[in-house]
Amino acid sequence: MISLIEDLYPICRSIMGPGTRSTLDRIASEIPITREGVASGTQVLDWIVPDEWEVRDAYIAREGSDERLVDFRASNLHVVSHSVAVDAVVDRDELDEHLHSLPDRPDAVPYRTSYYSPTWGFCVSHDQRAALPAGDYHVVIDSTLAPGRLEWGELLIPGEIDREMLITTHICHPSLVNDNLSGIAALVEVGRWLASVNRRYSYRLLFLPGTIGSISWLAQATSIQRIDHGLVITGLGDPSGFTYKRSRRGHRDIDRIAAEVLRHVEGSRVVDFSPYGYDERQFCSPGFDLPVGRLTRGVHGEYPEYHTSADDFDFFSGHQLDTAVDLLVDVVDAVEANRTYRNTSPYGEVQLGRRGLYRSTGGAIDSQAVEMAYLWVLNASDGTTDLCDIAHQSGLRPAVISEAVRRLVEADLLEIA
Ligand code: ZN
């Protein structure tokens, strides 16, 4: 995952254009995504796909000097994404109207976009902005906005049934590590794992340009009715604990399952849906109203590194990303396991001892906890209570409940209701 992130970091991504295309190329070298897309000018739901943006060079210099004071080659964050071309001499006041900086974080360069209104601009640290003296400046942005194609990557991993779990991440940010390269790397890793194991559900992975990408996908998708569970993932490598954001209705299976898994992970929190954030806004728009939640660590806008040059390799930790992938695996396992069973011997307690169900288990699963789970599962499995509810009632980890169920099924004490 780290080498993928290192390869992707220097690429100047936006919602469309060569940077996004080479990002999808790099992802395709890891997992077999297909490339889908729509042309500029296409109406997608209430939106119109904009022109493609390509930037080759950009800088600010004092008029008459070759020395670049602000240089796109040093960081692609210096140019406002989708800036129109400019080659002009401007005075200090006019230059200032096109500069973006963060007074409360004066050493960081902000990330700014202008996809839908034609303008140009530079992002600089506030310290650098304050140090620019009066005088004339030569500003150059060598860019093109022209009709092209919005593209995304899609991978369907078929399972035993055609009901689907959707997992998506955005791919449109330039040199920012946590938001959004950590999400890309985690989704690639989860995709590799899903392809290597037998699964009941089918899994659809989407690598989407933010907002316009998910809207374009939703506008053409024929699989929406098959989505039983979904997650938008990003921001998984920062120092914070996990945050799960519920889907619009707040009590869909994915919401209950994610909450049960996270209950056992220290420092985690579960928050209600709000119509602000990442692509869950589109999946949870009222017309679609899909069971799609969001998993991040820190929440966008709540950490000072967010959307600035400080979202770099110092802010990110490979260990945090690893444990995020482990958590995603736990959530998928719990989704797979969450069924409703019936106790086949419901009159009186089952005599577990004579069925060889008390044995040391070893490994990660605590045998005492599994023995407690036998009692909970057998008592609660009356044909109406699913495993997620049993995990909730018992306070036991979903993985412990699943292991107990596996053994009780093997002993013919449980059947699918
Ligand atoms: Zn972002």
Side-chain angles (χ1 to χ4, degrees):
M1 288 191 282
I2 300 288
S3 71
L4 174 61
I5 291 174
E6 284 173 347
D7 288 354
L8 294 178
Y9 183 73
I11 299 174
C12 184
R13 271 167 295 279
S14 88
I15 49 175
M16 301 158 71
T20 311
R21 219 163 270 132
S22 50
T23 297
L24 289 170
D25 289 343
R26 182 66 183 82
I27 294 168
S29 74
E30 300 284 339
I31 55 172
I33 53 169
T34 57
R35 308 282 281 269
E36 316 287 341
V38 285
S40 296
T42 307
Q43 169 119 24
V44 284
L45 307 180
D46 196 48
W47 294 58
I48 293 168
V49 176
D51 282 342
E52 243 185 73
W53 183 63
E54 179 174 4
V55 57
R56 292 164 290 274
D57 195 12
Y59 60 90
I60 303 172
R62 294 299 298 268
E63 168 63 352
S65 162
D66 285 339
E67 189 198 343
R68 293 178 174 216
L69 302 173
V70 175
D71 187 357
F72 170 74
R73 295 177 306 193
S75 167
N76 55 43
L77 294 175
H78 281 313
V79 179
V80 171
S81 187
H82 277 230
S83 280
V84 299
V86 63
D87 184 347
V89 175
V90 295
D91 65 21
R92 177 69 181 78
D93 287 343
E94 191 180 349
L95 174 65
D96 208 67
E97 289 168 19
H98 294 273
L99 295 181
H100 304 266
S101 65
L102 300 167
D104 55 351
R105 198 172 169 86
D107 57 340
V109 178
Y111 161 53
R112 292 283 182 272
T113 67
S114 184
Y115 301 137
Y116 301 102
S117 53
T119 183
W120 62 269
F122 287 89
C123 301
V124 295
S125 72
H126 202 67
D127 287 343
Q128 186 171 22
R129 182 181 192 165
L132 292 173
D136 286 341
Y137 290 85
H138 186 198
V139 290
V140 173
I141 297 177
D142 176 14
S143 68
T144 318
L145 279 161
R149 195 172 146 82
L150 179 140
E151 288 187 30
W152 66 85
E154 184 160 352
L155 176 61
L156 176 67
I157 304 169
E160 288 164 30
I161 58 176
D162 70 357
R163 304 301 303 175
E164 292 185 9
M165 179 163 180
L166 184 72
I167 312 179
T168 82
T169 196
H170 61 284
I171 56 162
C172 51
H173 291 20
S175 295
L176 299 168
V177 177
N178 190 51
D179 174 24
N180 75 233
L181 298 179
S182 69
I184 295 176
L187 191 52
V188 165
E189 194 69 9
V190 167
R192 225 196 305 269
W193 170 72
L194 282 168
S196 73
V197 290
N198 291 326
R199 291 283 139 196
R200 188 156 64 94
Y201 282 102
S202 296
Y203 289 81
R204 191 177 297 272
L205 277 45
L206 298 176
F207 296 86
L208 298 164
T211 306
I212 189 73
S214 52
I215 285 171
S216 299
W217 183 82
L218 284 163
Q220 55 80 61
T222 55
S223 57
I224 290 169
Q225 300 304 324
R226 295 200 292 272
I227 298 171
D228 281 351
H229 316 280
L231 276 179
V232 171
I233 64 169
T234 188
L236 294 170
D238 65 79
S240 302
F242 293 108
T243 306
Y244 175 76
K245 177 181 169 182
R246 293 187 182 98
S247 70
R248 181 170 177 272
R249 290 198 211 169
H251 58 269
R252 310 295 283 265
D253 284 354
I254 187 65
D255 302 318
R256 298 162 53 232
I257 291 167
E260 280 315 306
V261 172
L262 283 174
R263 183 139 75 111
H264 301 273
V265 181
E266 210 179 318
S268 304
R269 60 181 175 151
V270 176
V271 299
D272 284 337
F273 179 78
S274 63
Y276 176 67
Y278 293 99
D279 283 332
E280 70 277 8
R281 303 193 318 260
Q282 314 310 329
F283 299 114
C284 293
S285 55
F288 292 110
D289 198 15
L290 292 170
V292 175
R294 187 190 75 198
L295 183 74
T296 63
R297 284 184 173 279
V299 170
H300 55 89
E302 292 183 6
Y303 53 92
E305 295 82 359
Y306 172 72
H307 278 193
T308 78
S309 54
D311 182 354
D312 60 10
F313 285 94
D314 290 337
F315 180 56
F316 160 89
S317 139
H319 174 262
Q320 292 294 85
L321 182 58
D322 272 345
T323 50
V325 170
D326 292 344
L327 182 86
L328 285 163
V329 167
D330 286 348
V331 171
V332 167
D333 278 342
V335 164
E336 288 278 326
N338 189 37
R339 306 185 82 167
T340 301
Y341 292 86
R342 183 178 291 112
N343 177 345
T344 60
S345 180
Y347 298 101
E349 274 193 334
V350 170
Q351 191 179 6
L352 294 168
R354 72 181 170 88
R355 289 184 165 85
L357 285 162
Y358 291 121
R359 55 174 188 258
S360 67
T361 54
I365 303 282
D366 166 6
S367 58
Q368 262 190 328
V370 172
E371 285 164 21
M372 187 56 75
Y374 290 150
L375 304 183
W376 276 102
V377 169
L378 286 170
N379 189 278
S381 291
D382 54 5
T384 65
T385 309
D386 69 14
L387 298 191
C388 186
D389 277 344
I390 299 175
H392 186 75
Q393 288 167 15
S394 66
L396 294 165
R397 284 167 51 211
V400 169
I401 298 285
S402 310
E403 177 59 20
V405 166
R406 193 185 64 73
R407 294 185 201 169
L408 291 169
V409 169
E410 211 172 79
D412 294 324
L413 288 170
L414 281 184
E415 60 187 18
I416 301 263

